[in-house]
Amino acid sequence: MTNTATTKETTKETSTERKSWPREHSELGVSLLLLVIGVLVLTDALTMNVDIAQRGPVGPKTVPVLVGAGLLVVAVLLAIDVLRGGRGESEGGEDIDLSEPGDWRTVLLLAGVFLAFAVLIGPVGFPVSGALLFWGAAYALGSRHLHRDPLIAAGLSLLTYVVFDNLLGVPLPGGPLMGVL
């Protein structure tokens, strides 16, 4: 009987170890995600068509290549650290009860706001769709200042449009406001 009891205990311990290994090494998922994003960024940057008449030594490929390479380096270093037993520090200031379910209402509202932004940016332009994005995100995250929030959202959207379109030279769709701005 002792052999059977010992075998059952060993089987339970092995099963427990198998279940706890992924939990103890969950940061490997982050490392894998960083690796995939780094490969995608590098692939996109290296296959980018660049005008031969570019100005200066720094072209449009430089920053994406640096970011992609940095992501790969961080992914490898994180994986090595996790496999050597390193663990991220738990945040002491977080006041989260992990036994409570997630706030799906907020998640779905934010997803809806981003989807609406993606659908509306072409027909109505960035200033209008950006204002809806900023206001919708503020509302989804709990702000209930119904008079102030739309004004701030419109101001942020217009400021973002002007900075990108006029100062940085990154064209954003203006929509019906194209002639006005």
Side-chain angles (χ1 to χ4, degrees):
M1 279 208 166
T2 34
N3 276 346
T4 307
T6 306
T7 306
K8 286 182 181 178
E9 288 177 19
T10 305
T11 305
K12 284 182 183 178
E13 288 175 11
T14 306
S15 174
T16 305
E17 287 175 9
R18 274 191 233 134
K19 289 180 182 177
S20 67
W21 194 90
R23 183 178 293 269
E24 291 174 5
H25 296 87
S26 62
E27 288 96 348
L28 287 176
V30 175
S31 178
L32 180 65
L33 179 66
L34 291 174
L35 183 75
V36 168
I37 293 172
V39 167
L40 287 173
V41 168
L42 277 175
T43 303
D44 196 36
L46 295 175
T47 58
M48 183 185 306
N49 289 331
V50 179
D51 186 18
I52 295 174
Q54 77 180 35
R55 297 182 208 149
V58 178
K61 288 185 176 183
T62 305
V63 172
V65 167
L66 289 175
V67 169
L71 284 168
L72 293 179
V73 169
V74 169
V76 169
L77 291 175
L78 178 61
I80 291 170
D81 182 51
V82 170
L83 292 174
R84 287 184 175 174
R87 299 218 17 137
E89 294 180 22
S90 60
E91 295 187 30
E94 290 294 328
D95 197 18
I96 297 174
D97 185 7
L98 295 177
S99 63
E100 291 292 320
D103 185 7
W104 287 106
R105 179 183 179 274
T106 301
V107 171
L108 292 174
L109 280 172
L110 283 172
V113 165
F114 285 121
L115 183 62
F117 173 74
V119 169
L120 292 174
I121 192 168
V124 299
F126 183 85
V128 174
S129 61
L132 292 173
L133 171 72
F134 295 141
W135 176 77
Y139 182 84
L141 294 172
S143 180
R144 297 296 182 260
H145 298 280
L146 299 178
H147 299 292
R148 182 185 69 186
D149 290 347
L151 295 174
I152 292 173
L156 278 173
S157 182
L158 285 173
L159 178 68
T160 303
Y161 179 79
V162 168
V163 166
F164 274 85
D165 198 60
N166 296 340
L167 298 178
L168 297 176
V170 178
L172 294 175
L177 298 176
M178 186 63 110
V180 177
L181 299 175

